[in-house]
Amino acid sequence: KQEVTQIPAALSVPEGENLVLNCSFTDSAIYNLQWFRQDPGKGLTSLLLIQSSQREQTSGRLNASLDKSSGRSTLYIAASQPGDSATYLCAPTGTYKYIFGTGTRLKVLA
Amino acid sequence: DAGITQSPRHKVTETGTPVTLRCHQTENHRYMYWYRQDPGHGLRLIHYSYGVKDTDKGEVSDGYSVSRSKTEDFLLTLESATSSQTSVYFCAISEGGGAYEQYFGPGTRLTVT
């Protein structure tokens, strides 16, 4: 059974810092890995999808990497802003299922 | 944003009553999912559908049933609601399962008293 862990559970940083969020998973037989953000009281918004054949995917200030063999993915956020404050979730995918971690709650202080 | 709507957005119901939540998509995606989100448990899959009339169970399916009679609609039914089913319910869609991005609806907050 796939288990997903996200560390740290919560993070508070001053505006402008570069930061790294970590995601680890126990079963390396995945299709892809998707990163989401969730604002309080809202649904999940897709940030990036890394295909299993890729090592990295970039979107604006976000860069996600994937190392299937070690069961790890990282989400790098450059020059953090208060608007980045949210919960970030990762989800490695199987044939039809997405298994979610419990997320990292990020607060960026102005 | 993907065209996914959920109704109702909020509902309060009493223990023992049946409840149906609706998910509607305009993207013509094949896969549709129902999750519940609870503090300390994250997102857990209840049921999913891989086509019209094709559904399967997720990890927390007890007490829930689903139906999909049209590509665009996926219904989640609580046959007899219990307080343990108080949660936020999210619908999601994917073009072709785990090989594709998944998109989420805005959620339904259900309270069972």
Side-chain angles (χ1 to χ4, degrees), chain A residues 3-11 20-26 33-38 44 47 71-75 86-92 99-106, chain B residues 37 41-43:
Chain A
E3 293 185 1
V4 182
T5 303
Q6 292 189 246
I7 294 173
L11 183 62
V20 175
L21 307 182
N22 297 294
C23 170
S24 61
F25 46 95
T26 55
L33 188 138
Q34 192 168 357
W35 281 93
F36 297 86
R37 72 174 276 168
Q38 184 176 28
L44 280 69
L47 296 174
R72 293 184 180 180
S73 178
T74 60
L75 180 67
T87 297
Y88 291 80
L89 300 103
C90 67
I99 307 299
F100 288 83
T102 51
T104 293
R105 191 170 64 254
L106 172 66
Chain B
Q37 187 175 38
H41 290 280
L43 275 159

Side-chain angles (χ1 to χ4, degrees), chain B residues 51-97:
Chain B
V52 173
K53 297 186 178 169
D54 292 322
T55 65
D56 205 351
K57 296 179 180 180
E59 60 180 309
V60 290
S61 59
D62 287 348
Y64 301 95
S65 62
V66 290
S67 65
R68 191 171 178 197
S69 59
K70 297 185 289 185
T71 299
E72 58 266 34
D73 290 326
F74 192 32
L75 304 180
L76 177 70
T77 297
L78 290 66
E79 302 290 347
S80 178
T82 67
S83 59
S84 65
Q85 293 176 313
T86 292
S87 186
V88 180
Y89 291 86
F90 287 102
C91 173
I93 65 173
S94 169
E95 187 174 348

